[in-house]
Amino acid sequence: MATPKTYIVEHLDDELGTWSELEYTCIARESHAAGAKFFLSSIPPELQIPEQLSSIPSFTAETRSVEELFANDKSRVCLLDPAAASDLSPEDGDKFDVFLFGGILGDHPPRDRTRELRKKGFEGRRLGPIQMSTDTAVRVTRMVVQDKIPLDKIPYIDNPELRFNEHESTEMPFRYVKGEDGMPVMPEGMFELIQKDADRGIDDLL
Ligand code: SAM
């Protein structure tokens, strides 16, 4: 039987804000449902992990870094890297059993903070040319390496416009997986959080 896959997000920010919490909870739930493990590494020891995340069975919170965890086993680890020379393929599911992601909020234009992990010498693969949110990057990786769907056969929505009401909408500058309902797949609660942030932005102007 194939070794179960492990998805690791190396948390690179000092805090764990609501946005990251929703993304990490979504990754943990989906990993658990797919028979995989999810590690959140490099967590500052004083950081409190929210109960809705820590209670998911396949989730592990780690204060150690991915380098410490896989010091003698680097060849098992594939870094998902927007600057890698080759794209992820279903065969990479046979070569690697650990997939590493930067726990970085998406920024526009991207600032290449994934280089902090690249410097550590893990072999890298790209998920196509467009920036994804961290939960989308894990979802797409799982579809490629576990479900064996080639990267270019996955249905995507780029830069979706989220419409809150007749007058308000916001464009998300990322690539998402297109769900069966034709909408971008997002963590539970994310739409409401983005709407709240948009309202706050407007309130700040008043
Ligand atoms: N702007 C970011 C940066 O500075 O590198 C990208 C952050 S992205 C929101 C979070 C993580 O998802 C990245 O560190 C990477 O592991 C993964 N990721 C997102 N889009 C990707 C892509 N097109 N190819 C490979 N990895 C990607």
Side-chain angles (χ1 to χ4, degrees):
M1 215 177 81
T3 318
K5 301 296 179 223
T6 299
Y7 301 101
I8 299 197
V9 172
E10 177 101 338
H11 187 67
L12 293 169
D13 290 324
D14 297 331
E15 298 173 357
L16 202 160
T18 315
W19 185 294
S20 306
E21 184 186 328
L22 294 181
E23 288 196 345
Y24 295 162
T25 303
C26 176
I27 296 169
R29 285 196 187 126
E30 290 184 7
S31 301
H32 182 58
K37 295 187 193 138
F38 174 44
F39 281 65
L40 193 56
S41 55
S42 276
I43 300 180
E46 66 285 359
L47 200 144
Q48 196 66 36
I49 301 290
E51 156 79 22
Q52 68 153 349
L53 175 56
S54 61
S55 60
I56 299 172
S58 329
F59 171 74
T60 306
E62 265 294 346
T63 51
R64 288 175 294 174
S65 71
V66 63
E67 263 178 313
E68 292 171 84
L69 289 168
F70 290 94
N72 302 317
D73 240 355
K74 273 197 170 169
S75 63
R76 289 173 58 201
V77 182
C78 172
L79 169 65
L80 282 303
D81 180 357
S86 54
D87 281 347
L88 187 74
S89 71
E91 295 71 49
D92 288 318
D94 306 325
K95 179 164 186 200
F96 305 102
D97 59 350
V98 180
F99 296 87
L100 168 64
F101 304 81
I104 310 160
L105 291 182
D107 41 19
H108 186 66
R111 282 180 298 155
D112 188 24
R113 291 186 54 207
T114 310
R115 72 175 175 281
E116 293 178 34
L117 295 172
R118 190 181 310 133
K119 284 191 301 210
K120 299 176 195 277
F122 295 106
E123 197 170 330
R125 292 287 186 273
R126 200 182 67 151
L127 296 167
I130 300 179
Q131 180 177 201
M132 299 171 178
S133 61
T134 311
D135 65 294
T136 304
V138 178
R139 184 173 302 114
V140 168
T141 300
R142 194 181 58 243
M143 291 170 85
V144 175
V145 300
Q146 290 192 225
D147 303 338
K148 305 285 183 199
I149 306 174
L151 204 53
D152 61 358
K153 296 284 179 284
I154 295 175
Y156 301 110
I157 304 185
D158 295 338
N159 309 319
E161 187 187 22
L162 303 186
R163 180 151 287 285
F164 306 122
N165 58 44
E166 213 185 314
H167 305 289
E168 284 174 88
S169 67
T170 194
E171 189 181 280
M172 303 303 293
F174 308 116
R175 167 168 281 184
Y176 293 87
V177 173
K178 189 188 213 166
E180 282 176 5
D181 57 0
M183 302 294 285
V185 178
M186 283 187 180
E188 207 178 299
M190 187 58 88
F191 182 89
E192 292 75 11
L193 179 68
I194 296 168
Q195 180 169 23
K196 214 159 80 189
D197 281 355
D199 287 347
R200 192 172 309 129
I202 291 164
D203 288 347
D204 287 349
L205 296 173
L206 299 176

